[in-house]
Amino acid sequence: MAQAHEGHQSHEGYRLGPDDWSALAAEPPPDAHVLLASSGGRDSLAALAALTQWRDEGRFAALSVTHVDHGLHTESAQWQQTARRQAAAFDVPFFATRVEVVRSQRGKGRGSLEAAARQARYAALDHSLHAARRDDPTHPPVLVTAHHANDQAETVLLALLRGSGSRGLSGMAVWRECGDFPHWRPFLDWSRERLTSLAVGSGCGWVDDPSNDDPGFARNALRHRVLPALERFWPDAISRINRSAARLAEEQALLAELAASDAGQSLRRNALDWTPLAGLSASRQLNVLRQWLFALGCLPPPPQRLADWLGQVAEAPSDRAPRLEWPGGELRRYGGRIYWLKQASQVITPKRWPAGRDCIDVDESRVCRRRVPSSEAVEGGGTCRLAAGEGDWKLRPVQASERLRPRLGAPSRTLKNRFQEAGIPPWEREAAIGLEIDGRLAAVAVAGTWWVDADFQPGDQWGDQSGDDRGPDWWLILASPAGFTDPR
């Protein structure tokens, strides 16, 4: 059962000095809207107290609290209410989201449940950040979590026991990218005891998650058994561990700079031109791949598996596509490039698109939307204009032998030919989406773009102002569901 800690009525007993702010490793922009991810616990409460004072001092423009209910504990609703009361006590706006935690099929232990909960939590936080930017575009959102020095030491020890390299042993960064938004951890140099004093001084109550005392979780074993034993011999063990992590973070930054120099291309795209890298030493090739995957927000596969796969790439004929799968996704080679796929390509299930329905789910990660063109900007993934009546619309897979005519007066071409000329990888071809209208293939969405048959292209694209009976113009938009749903 969760343990609740009652507070007193006033929160005037705490005050931070100016040195507490100036000692921070980095600061948010003064116009930032800080969103604190709160569990309703002691550390979150302390962070709320500090952030409220800094907001009132004009260090940043706005502050709100967001809470994610994982639904994994019978008392999770009470935890949400505790977080809500804390925010109300400081007169800070509060938002809550409930998520469903789906455990990965790749793991069935406690660690896999913890990882699934973390993934669901950050997906919900990403929605909250998008909503904040949409509601108030003048104040850029910044996510804040209450991680502190003890958390950092635990993270470094966990990475050490996993056999991690410099990236993992660097621990948590004060600033990092969280999707499209910055994630700020201002309390990484603060001890747990310091945050506890701040929470007590705030006058509010908090709740302790009982899972934090469960020795079946590796982090808890480190927290309650290993670190106390280390501190009996080295009272400053936590600061020693974190100093080493900071030094390794500097070395990791140098490795990232070396990879960027070796690559000679952007490491922010999901494809690498491997031709100029083929002459590098194996260790530098591995470094480029690892830093590339880190830049994409992916945890790389184990070093030996990655090295073995690179050996297969070097030896395989150019028409072969060596493939490496691990929980972080897939690596594939095609046409002199190496691609990272976050998840396996999905072949669309045929489905009708009823007239009057604006948006339709394509699969778990994509939606398709149609609307009449206007001066309003079109956002999302691949877009195109299409002229057609509101007849029988259907989304379906395509066959390589099917044909499209690229423009008026031009002969039709098979999709196989167009795929080859455009350098579309085989897995993208399998996931291509065909739009059939009244029994005819009108358009194909592949690799983030649309190909529209000439008979369905608006007349003004070819200077035809005479008008025709194709039907009204439509925008077609293919994107992730986040672009069309209300995150909050």
Side-chain angles (χ1 to χ4, degrees):
M1 178 177 292
Q3 182 178 359
H5 298 262
E6 298 297 330
H8 49 80
Q9 294 301 310
S10 172
H11 57 263
E12 298 298 326
Y14 79 93
R15 291 300 295 176
L16 298 175
D19 291 344
D20 293 306
W21 177 262
S22 60
L24 296 176
E27 303 170 4
D31 62 345
H33 174 186
V34 168
L35 276 77
L36 171 64
S38 172
S39 65
R42 171 194 54 207
D43 300 338
S44 298
L45 172 59
L48 175 60
L51 292 168
T52 301
Q53 180 178 329
W54 289 337
R55 179 207 57 189
D56 293 345
E57 293 172 352
R59 308 294 189 179
F60 44 83
L63 173 65
S64 60
V65 172
T66 182
H67 173 85
V68 179
D69 182 355
H70 302 87
L72 297 176
H73 195 279
T74 56
E75 298 179 23
S76 63
Q78 285 79 6
W79 301 353
Q80 176 180 318
Q81 291 306 313
T82 298
R84 185 185 299 275
R85 285 194 295 270
Q86 292 170 355
F90 287 90
D91 196 24
V92 173
F94 178 85
F95 304 95
T97 306
R98 184 178 176 97
V99 297
E100 180 180 358
V101 177
V102 180
R103 189 182 310 196
S104 170
Q105 294 301 311
R106 293 186 175 97
K108 299 185 182 301
R110 293 186 174 194
S112 67
L113 179 62
E114 192 174 19
R118 183 181 186 278
Q119 183 177 4
R121 177 168 66 254
Y122 275 96
L125 293 173
D126 184 65
H127 283 309
S128 295
L129 290 162
H130 275 96
R133 182 172 64 183
R134 183 198 64 229
D135 295 345
D136 185 6
T138 61
H139 295 118
V142 174
L143 176 67
V144 167
T145 52
H147 294 107
H148 48 70
N150 300 61
D151 294 326
Q152 179 77 304
E154 294 162 11
T155 297
V156 174
L157 287 176
L158 282 171
L160 178 66
L161 294 171
R162 293 191 196 106
S164 299
S166 60
R167 174 80 178 202
L169 294 173
S170 300
M172 296 178 283
V174 175
W175 284 93
R176 74 175 187 114
E177 292 181 7
C178 183
D180 296 331
F181 303 94
H183 177 187
W184 181 33
R185 300 183 179 104
F187 307 107
L188 281 180
D189 289 334
W190 295 26
S191 68
R192 179 179 284 119
E193 291 73 23
R194 185 180 183 189
L195 286 178
T196 297
S197 297
L198 194 56
V200 171
S202 74
C204 297
W206 71 83
V207 65
D208 288 332
D209 183 347
S211 68
N212 289 333
D213 295 322
D214 184 347
F217 290 106
R219 183 178 288 273
N220 292 340
L222 289 174
R223 178 178 303 161
H224 298 297
R225 297 177 182 175
V226 176
L227 274 172
L230 290 175
E231 289 178 306
R232 282 196 290 272
F233 288 93
W234 297 280
D236 59 345
I238 287 177
S239 62
R240 286 172 180 253
I241 293 169
N242 293 348
R243 282 200 302 272
S244 292
R247 292 173 182 170
L248 285 166
E250 294 176 358
E251 295 180 9
Q252 168 60 28
L254 289 175
L255 289 174
E257 288 184 19
L258 176 63
S261 176
D262 283 344
Q265 57 192 293
S266 172
L267 296 181
R268 296 284 180 174
R269 295 192 293 262
N270 74 331
L272 275 181
D273 183 359
W274 194 247
T275 303
L277 304 176
L280 293 176
S281 67
S283 59
R284 290 174 78 161
Q285 287 180 340
L286 283 169
N287 183 55
V288 169
L289 286 179
R290 288 175 59 80
Q291 302 305 324
W292 170 53
L293 292 171
F294 284 138
L296 294 175
C298 169
L299 187 66
Q304 190 56 53
R305 288 195 65 196
L306 190 57
D308 292 344
W309 181 77
L310 266 183
Q312 297 173 22
V313 168
E315 296 175 2
S318 59
D319 60 344
R320 299 293 298 276
R323 177 170 159 181
L324 173 62
E325 293 183 74
W326 79 105
E330 295 182 17
L331 287 178
R332 298 194 186 189
R333 185 193 70 177
Y334 176 75
R337 291 176 173 267
I338 289 180
Y339 294 81
W340 172 66
L341 308 179
K342 187 173 183 179
Q343 58 188 15
S345 301
Q346 296 177 300
V347 178
I348 182 175
T349 301
K351 55 188 67 181
R352 295 197 175 278
W353 196 345
R357 183 172 176 182
D358 172 74
C359 193
I360 187 170
D361 291 334
V362 175
D363 49 40
E364 294 178 358
S365 61
R366 296 176 295 178
V367 296
C368 197
R369 185 177 184 180
R370 62 184 174 190
R371 68 175 186 230
V372 175
S374 67
S375 59
E376 179 184 356
V378 176
E379 301 176 353
T383 64
C384 73
R385 283 177 62 201
L386 178 139
E390 296 189 36
D392 184 16
W393 289 41
K394 182 167 68 174
L395 298 178
R396 61 169 176 81
V398 298
Q399 301 296 320
S401 59
E402 292 187 274
R403 309 178 78 90
L404 284 178
R405 194 156 54 110
R407 59 185 179 277
L408 292 175
S412 64
R413 307 279 306 284
T414 65
L415 294 181
K416 179 179 179 180
N417 288 338
R418 295 199 64 177
F419 288 152
Q420 291 173 339
E421 289 183 2
I424 304 297
W427 55 91
E428 294 277 10
R429 304 177 194 184
E430 295 169 2
I433 301 169
L435 172 60
E436 180 183 301
I437 299 178
D438 294 332
R440 296 182 57 193
L441 183 62
V444 173
V446 61
T449 191
W450 286 91
W451 297 340
V452 180
D453 187 85
D455 288 341
F456 293 88
Q457 296 169 7
D460 60 6
Q461 292 192 192
W462 308 110
D464 178 6
Q465 304 298 328
S466 61
D468 53 38
D469 58 358
R470 290 187 177 101
D473 285 5
W474 302 90
W475 276 116
L476 292 183
I477 313 166
L478 182 67
S480 66
F484 302 130
T485 56
D486 184 351
R488 192 173 292 175

